[in-house]
Amino acid sequence: MDILILIGGFAVLCLAGMPVAYALGLASIFAAIAIGLPLEAVMLKTSDGMDNFSLLAIPFFILAGAIMAVGGMAERLINLAKVFVGFIRGGMALVNIVASTMFGCLSGSSVADTAAIGSVMIPQMIKNGYPRLFAVNVTISGSLQPLLVPPSHNMIIYSIAAGGTVSVAHLFMGGIIPALLLGLSLIILVLIIAHREKYPKGEVVPLRQALKIAADAIWGLVTIVIILGGILSGVFTPTESAAVAVVYSFLVTMFVYRDVKWRELPKLVARVVRTVGMVMIMIGFSIAFGYMMAIMRIPAMATEFFVSISSDKYAFLFYVNILLLLLGTFMDLAPMLLICTPIFMPVIAQFGIDPVHFGIVMILNLGIGLLTPPVGPTMVIGCAIGKVTMEAVSRSILVFYIPMLIVLALVTYIPGLTLWLPSVVLQ
């Protein structure tokens, strides 16, 4: 009955339209009252959940990404991508994917990537003769990559949800090969569709112009070096690298590119503060929710359940993938990580699954949910930019799920794809 109040109350509140963060908090309070637990314990857990030094990386990375998104960085990376792949048949679509890969190393957010890259690429693709739905599908599919490369905010959230026992640096390194595989698989699909549909070719960029474009984009690419190089060399922690990235991106945006006016900064900071506030409230209440789940032995019961239906870890991973794919269609990625990670951590320990590997599987799996109705926040942004309906995109995007699911299967059943790079680079 107590579990029904916690889980059922959360589900009912979400279905009633309440924001996920508040639903987590109220469900925790209802459950605490039901079992006679002092409400102070819930409030203390909420406070403790937000009082974590590692969480400072999230607002810093969000601010750095926001500064670069409005500062013309996305457009410069798109121009750089055109130099490499713009001349191929279907080149504009390939530029979209490659630009998403590069911008993902700056934003760490699927929604931010879609907003920044999509606002430039979707109108350009339509203008150059690409179908509107195809342009939207390529954009939102490519935006799955930022979830898997540094500085992915969701990897930090997963680490926090796992009790801080999983290294953020290992997660950052572990997602790079899966992200590249995803980008490569989308490129292959786009090439097949482009040749079948006879989509247009772009023009070869002259050498002199290409060098100028590269020089213009190099300032932004240095941010990637700061984030990765600082962490890998041991000079910065992930949190410190995020702070340095903010300072660097601010200097480049305001004094080198100068695409942003000083009077626009307060509005930009206000948007970031609003976003960070929402994330922090959700993290705090999710920690309280996880505390209530632990008191009710939900993780232990989940372990017993999965072990009882199969002693094979590969079968367990299959069941988890199916479950997360279904849940991801109804809830956003971050709250699902915060809710599910404490439940699955003792289960993967029982099966001997590496938590870094499992974290990448979860993030990729739930990331696909960002592109599926009825919630699909990334799909919503793409539809708004492309001026198409979610129903139309939901029908036309089906073929793009194929490479995503293939990569998900490879990452799930070949742990070396996620664990090899951290073992080599972070010894």
Side-chain angles (χ1 to χ4, degrees):
M1 183 62 180
D2 298 336
I3 295 176
L4 182 62
I5 292 175
L6 181 67
I7 304 298
F10 171 70
V12 169
L13 291 171
C14 285
L15 291 173
M18 179 175 289
V20 173
Y22 300 134
L24 287 169
L26 280 178
S28 302
I29 291 172
F30 293 155
I33 293 173
I35 64 176
L37 184 71
L39 294 183
E40 289 85 350
V42 177
M43 296 300 104
L44 285 172
K45 280 296 176 182
T46 302
S47 174
D48 290 344
M50 294 184 285
D51 184 17
N52 191 317
F53 178 77
S54 299
L55 286 176
L56 283 175
I58 295 177
F60 282 137
F61 278 135
I62 291 175
L63 179 57
I67 292 173
M68 289 180 285
V70 301
M73 183 55 58
E75 190 167 356
R76 287 171 172 85
L77 292 178
I78 287 170
N79 291 334
L80 182 61
K82 287 179 181 178
V83 173
F84 296 109
V85 296
F87 57 90
I88 303 172
R89 183 174 295 280
M92 292 291 286
L94 300 182
V95 167
N96 198 325
I97 296 170
V98 174
S100 289
T101 305
M102 292 189 289
F103 190 74
C105 294
L106 304 176
S107 70
S109 166
S110 175
V111 172
D113 186 274
T114 298
I117 300 297
S119 61
V120 178
M121 285 304 304
I122 291 177
Q124 284 193 23
M125 290 180 68
I126 295 171
K127 183 179 179 180
N128 283 271
Y130 291 84
R132 188 177 295 270
L133 287 174
F134 179 77
V136 172
N137 290 335
V138 170
T139 302
I140 63 177
S141 299
S143 70
L144 194 55
Q145 297 170 90
L147 301 175
L148 300 171
V149 293
S152 171
H153 316 145
N154 292 288
M155 290 183 180
I156 301 172
I157 290 174
Y158 171 78
S159 176
I160 298 298
T165 59
V166 185
S167 165
V168 173
H170 281 74
L171 288 167
F172 278 176
M173 289 297 100
I176 290 176
I177 292 178
L180 294 177
L181 277 177
L182 179 62
L184 179 61
S185 66
L186 290 172
I187 286 174
I188 292 172
L189 175 64
V190 164
L191 286 173
I192 293 172
I193 295 174
H195 280 78
R196 186 186 66 194
E197 302 295 332
K198 305 296 182 185
Y199 289 152
K201 291 183 180 181
E203 297 181 356
V204 177
V205 179
L207 179 59
R208 184 184 297 273
Q209 186 180 351
L211 292 175
K212 182 179 179 181
I213 290 171
D216 199 28
I218 196 68
W219 292 99
L221 296 177
V222 169
T223 313
I224 302 174
V225 177
I226 291 174
I227 295 171
L228 286 180
I231 294 174
L232 298 181
S233 64
V235 176
F236 305 136
T237 65
T239 302
E240 291 166 345
S241 72
V244 174
V246 169
V247 175
Y248 178 80
S249 61
F250 173 79
L251 294 176
V252 170
T253 298
M254 302 307 297
F255 297 103
V256 178
Y257 291 150
R258 291 181 289 184
D259 288 351
V260 177
K261 306 298 181 184
W262 286 93
R263 64 176 179 271
E264 297 172 357
L265 279 178
K267 292 183 179 180
L268 172 63
V269 173
R271 289 199 301 268
V272 171
V273 169
R274 185 166 58 248
T275 300
V276 171
M278 293 166 57
V279 172
M280 296 301 290
I281 289 172
M282 184 169 60
I283 290 175
F285 283 140
S286 70
I287 296 298
F289 191 83
Y291 172 66
M292 296 306 302
M293 288 196 298
I295 289 178
M296 297 176 181
R297 297 188 67 254
I298 293 177
M301 287 188 287
T303 302
E304 294 169 3
F305 170 76
F306 281 109
V307 171
S308 67
I309 61 175
S310 176
S311 58
D312 182 12
K313 70 176 181 181
Y314 299 107
F316 162 73
L317 288 170
F318 176 77
Y319 297 143
V320 168
N321 273 331
I322 297 298
L323 176 63
L324 293 179
L325 284 171
L326 292 174
L327 292 176
T329 62
F330 295 98
M331 286 189 64
D332 202 353
L333 195 159
M336 285 303 301
L337 284 176
L338 291 165
I339 294 169
C340 294
T341 301
I343 296 176
F344 286 128
M345 287 304 289
V347 184
I348 65 172
Q350 183 78 17
F351 281 105
I353 299 171
D354 189 283
V356 172
H357 171 222
F358 188 72
I360 301 301
V361 171
M362 281 190 72
I363 291 170
L364 176 56
N365 195 316
L366 293 171
I368 296 173
L370 299 176
L371 315 180
T372 56
V375 179
T378 299
M379 178 181 283
V380 171
I381 297 295
C383 291
I385 295 172
K387 299 178 182 178
V388 292
T389 65
M390 284 189 69
E391 292 78 11
V393 173
S394 299
R395 292 190 296 269
S396 62
I397 199 176
L398 294 177
V399 68
F400 285 86
Y401 291 141
I402 296 174
M404 299 179 203
L405 295 175
I406 290 174
V407 172
L408 176 61
L410 291 173
V411 171
T412 300
Y413 294 111
I414 307 178
L417 293 176
T418 56
L419 300 179
W420 175 76
L421 195 56
S423 68
V424 172
V425 177
L426 302 170
Q427 294 182 345

